[in-house]
Amino acid sequence: MKRLPKFLLSAAMVATMATSFSAVMAATPPDTLVQAWQSDDIISLDPAEVFELSASEILGNTYERLITYDIKDVSKISGQVAESWTVSPDGKTYTFKIRPNRKFASGNPITAEDVVYSLHRAVALDKSPAFILGQFGFTKDNVKDKIKQTGPLELSIEVDKPYAPTLVLYCLGNSVASIVDKKLVVQNEKDGDWGYNWLKTKYAGSGPFIMRDWKANEVTVLERNPNYEKKTPLARIIYRHIKETASQRLLLEKGDIDVARSLNPEEITAMSKNPDVKVQSAPKGTIYYLGLNQKNPNLAKPEVRQALKYLVDYSAIADTIMKYKGDVHQNFLPKGFLGAETSNPYKLDVAKAKELLAKAGLKDGFSVTMDTRSTAEITGVAQAMQSTFAQAGIKLEILPMDSKQALTKYRARQHDIYIGNWGSDYQDPNSNADTFAANDDNSDNAKAKPLAWRNAWDPGPLTAKTRAAVMERDAEKRAQMYKELQKSVLDDSPFVIFLQQTEVAAVRKNVDNFVLGPSFSDNDMSQAKKN
């Protein structure tokens, strides 16, 4: 029987303590931050697989990567595990030196071997986020030749083309490039699975916190990593999955939680007037959209795709259901990204929509379903669209389900309409262009499965234009290329983009240094403390 590292023991005890807080306490412990969040989108905690917002935040606080950046100015890129790096004259080979004397939570040293293993593992497992690394030409067959250890604390990464260096570096700062403890993972491998079945629910990182325990749709517990170079003020972070926003508010008011992450607009307004609570917000590189499956013959008609864009009451959604939580935004690049287009040409126009439906041979409308995550805001938006769609004769049936169910169907291209959000994987415009405007293989068994693929959409020449944009080193020219891509996607794609997210959290006033960043993986709990 293998002996588990000390930091992996007594998880059940910690989880039991976490889930019983509300029953036995009027206030949370001074060394513990308790958050209420709708976190039912977590389906795995393996860095090679995580592709959802909640899990990205967990990984951001529990793992490290070669590269990081200043969340107040993302153009300022720096090393995290990397001490330094160089790029070869031909722009294709990156050489990294690792910071010495660093340790994983297990106590094992962090070496170049761990970094190389982690990147090999992500490519070989080929889960949903693997394309972030695969876009640089890495495959299961060649990755061991392209990413190599060259010394105890040195490695080289050879990409297939001379990409803009910032693109490569931002991708190496993504969750899929998180560095795992090779020795620990290998101990838990079974039948050549790279430790996947173990790491889905366990932990092998070096970040400020240890992932102590995760119980799906219940609780996630993080604990201070004693081997992290900068001790966290708090000993523990607890995420409680609380679906009902009213329950989150009540728990916050009573002091049973420290942070409420999913309040609705009315509750946020009320909390802003509570002297014991402060409201924090930050713009996110996350956009809300509808995905229209092109396997549905009605949704595959260009006139129908455009008609649906005229059947959304954008301003009403932003001003009511999503008040405080986002602004109207209709393009695939979030504001703040290089080349982001900020024009919003669509508005609710039922007459225009009816005209387009008639051209499509559907003057009496049609019936269609929408897979809808069972949260108050998503359900509210879906119901608003159900009402406006009906004005043009479209009968929208809302199918409520948890995030795991919705995502599983979506990834299998089994939906009609999917309503959800997309957080940029890295701070380069290619992050969104590569998923909304490119699809190299639209077959069911394609290797890369971006959002265009999930919606069975072949964007034609846009794929080549997306690939060309990523090679352009002149920032001004590159920005213009992305503006043109956005216009094409806005006009013709099966995406109805309607909002850019603002993340809002209601926080007890005795909590300081609770940081909301530009992406969920940047939400930083490492220096949070209580007064």
Side-chain angles (χ1 to χ4, degrees):
M1 179 178 178
K2 297 186 181 76
R3 182 181 178 185
L4 289 174
K6 184 177 180 181
F7 73 87
L8 290 176
L9 299 177
S10 67
M13 178 183 70
V14 175
T16 300
M17 175 185 67
T19 55
S20 62
F21 271 159
S22 61
V24 300
M25 305 193 69
T28 60
D31 66 348
T32 300
L33 186 75
V34 183
Q35 303 185 57
W37 203 11
Q38 294 167 341
S39 55
D40 61 344
D41 61 333
I42 301 177
I43 59 177
S44 172
L45 290 172
D46 186 332
E49 184 172 36
V50 165
F51 212 34
E52 289 69 47
L53 302 180
S54 300
S56 294
E57 177 169 323
I58 302 299
L59 262 59
N61 285 278
T62 56
Y63 283 86
E64 296 181 290
R65 289 142 289 278
L66 280 171
I67 297 297
T68 187
Y69 50 82
D70 184 342
I71 63 172
K72 295 180 180 178
D73 182 356
V74 299
S75 67
K76 295 180 179 178
I77 296 174
S78 59
Q80 189 170 48
V81 169
E83 182 176 60
S84 62
W85 64 88
T86 58
V87 184
S88 62
D90 68 358
K92 293 170 65 175
T93 301
Y94 293 70
T95 301
F96 291 90
K97 291 186 177 180
I98 305 303
R99 296 182 189 277
N101 305 315
R102 298 291 312 283
K103 292 182 179 181
F104 288 103
S106 67
N108 293 329
I110 302 174
T111 68
E113 184 178 3
D114 296 291
V115 180
V116 169
Y117 172 82
S118 301
L119 298 176
H120 287 178
R121 180 179 184 274
V123 173
L125 285 173
D126 198 22
K127 300 298 180 180
S128 292
F131 75 90
I132 295 170
L133 299 175
Q135 66 184 316
F136 300 117
F138 305 130
T139 67
K140 295 178 184 179
D141 296 329
N142 72 14
V143 68
K144 290 187 177 181
D145 294 325
K146 299 297 184 181
I147 302 177
K148 296 187 289 189
Q149 181 180 359
T150 54
L153 297 174
E154 187 171 297
L155 68 140
S156 66
I157 298 176
E158 182 187 348
V159 298
D160 59 342
K161 298 173 185 176
Y163 300 96
T166 51
L167 169 65
V168 177
L169 295 173
Y170 280 133
C171 289
L172 291 173
N174 177 263
S175 294
V176 73
S178 295
I179 298 164
V180 302
D181 184 338
K182 178 182 177 180
K183 184 176 180 181
L184 181 58
V185 175
V186 168
Q187 286 174 355
N188 290 280
E189 284 185 356
K190 286 186 178 180
D191 302 321
D193 73 346
W194 293 85
Y196 167 70
N197 287 297
W198 179 79
L199 200 54
K200 277 175 70 76
T201 58
K202 298 298 190 292
Y203 172 73
S206 61
F209 291 99
I210 293 163
M211 199 293 292
R212 170 73 77 174
D213 193 52
W214 166 50
K215 294 187 180 300
N217 298 337
E218 187 177 341
V219 67
T220 306
V221 181
L222 312 184
E223 286 197 344
R224 179 190 289 139
N225 176 2
N227 288 320
Y228 190 66
E229 60 181 352
K230 186 175 183 181
K231 181 180 177 181
T232 61
L234 293 173
R236 189 176 295 107
I237 308 291
I238 293 175
Y239 293 88
R240 295 179 55 193
H241 173 62
I242 306 291
K243 182 178 176 180
E244 298 79 13
T245 63
S247 297
Q248 290 196 19
R249 174 183 172 179
L250 180 62
L251 290 168
L252 186 68
E253 290 174 326
K254 290 169 61 180
D256 288 341
I257 62 172
D258 301 299
V259 185
R261 299 286 295 274
S262 313
L263 300 183
N264 67 31
E266 293 77 14
E267 290 156 349
I268 294 169
T269 297
M271 289 298 91
S272 68
K273 299 172 183 176
N274 186 321
D276 297 322
V277 174
K278 55 189 175 184
V279 175
Q280 293 183 213
S281 65
K284 278 287 190 282
T286 300
I287 57 176
Y288 285 80
Y289 71 98
L290 302 182
L292 313 178
N293 192 343
Q294 299 302 281
K295 290 192 173 188
N296 180 303
N298 288 332
L299 298 177
K301 297 180 178 182
E303 298 90 352
V304 173
R305 297 198 296 262
Q306 196 162 55
L308 293 183
K309 295 171 186 180
Y310 283 110
L311 288 174
V312 175
D313 195 341
Y314 300 89
S315 58
I317 290 170
D319 294 341
T320 56
I321 302 163
M322 298 297 290
K323 186 178 180 182
Y324 301 115
K325 295 194 172 186
D327 297 316
V328 174
H329 189 73
Q330 296 175 0
N331 293 280
F332 69 71
L333 283 184
K335 287 174 286 187
F337 274 57
L338 176 72
E341 183 57 70
T342 57
S343 62
N344 299 312
Y346 290 101
K347 62 181 180 180
L348 181 63
D349 189 337
V350 177
K352 179 69 172 175
K354 285 183 175 180
E355 178 185 322
L356 288 162
L357 290 172
K359 286 183 180 178
L362 296 166
K363 66 181 181 64
D364 297 323
F366 59 96
S367 297
V368 70
T369 63
M370 180 186 287
D371 292 356
T372 306
R373 182 182 174 191
S374 298
T375 66
E377 62 186 33
I378 292 295
T379 300
V381 172
Q383 290 171 343
M385 292 180 177
Q386 184 181 49
S387 176
T388 51
F389 282 20
Q391 294 177 40
I394 296 175
K395 302 173 187 66
L396 177 65
E397 180 185 359
I398 295 171
L399 302 180
M401 58 190 73
D402 66 29
S403 288
K404 185 175 181 179
Q405 290 174 299
L407 285 166
T408 299
K409 280 187 67 179
Y410 191 36
R411 289 174 172 175
R413 310 207 285 191
Q414 294 173 350
H415 63 295
D416 280 346
I417 300 177
Y418 172 84
I419 180 171
N421 48 24
W422 175 266
S424 300
D425 297 305
Y426 44 90
Q427 299 297 321
D428 188 275
N430 188 62
S431 175
N432 281 24
D434 189 49
T435 201
F436 283 98
N439 184 7
D440 292 300
D441 180 359
N442 200 36
S443 66
D444 286 341
N445 59 353
K447 179 182 178 183
K449 299 178 179 180
L451 294 185
W453 179 91
R454 290 189 194 180
N455 289 284
W457 182 50
D458 181 354
L462 298 189
T463 298
K465 290 181 179 180
T466 299
R467 304 294 175 241
V470 83
M471 303 302 296
E472 179 55 64
R473 295 195 169 208
D474 183 296
E476 189 173 333
K477 290 180 181 177
R478 193 171 181 228
Q480 184 57 39
M481 295 170 82
Y482 285 114
K483 285 182 180 294
E484 293 171 5
L485 279 168
Q486 286 168 96
K487 186 178 187 311
S488 296
V489 169
L490 181 65
D491 290 342
D492 189 50
S493 79
F495 300 110
V496 183
I497 298 168
F498 58 91
L499 200 79
Q500 180 172 343
Q501 182 179 15
T502 299
E503 187 181 11
V504 184
V507 184
R508 298 285 299 185
K509 279 201 171 171
N510 67 323
V511 175
D512 287 334
N513 299 336
F514 175 86
V515 177
L516 297 176
S519 69
F520 281 85
S521 61
D522 298 324
N523 289 346
D524 184 8
M525 310 297 144
S526 68
Q527 296 307 307
K529 62 181 181 178
K530 291 184 175 180
N531 297 319

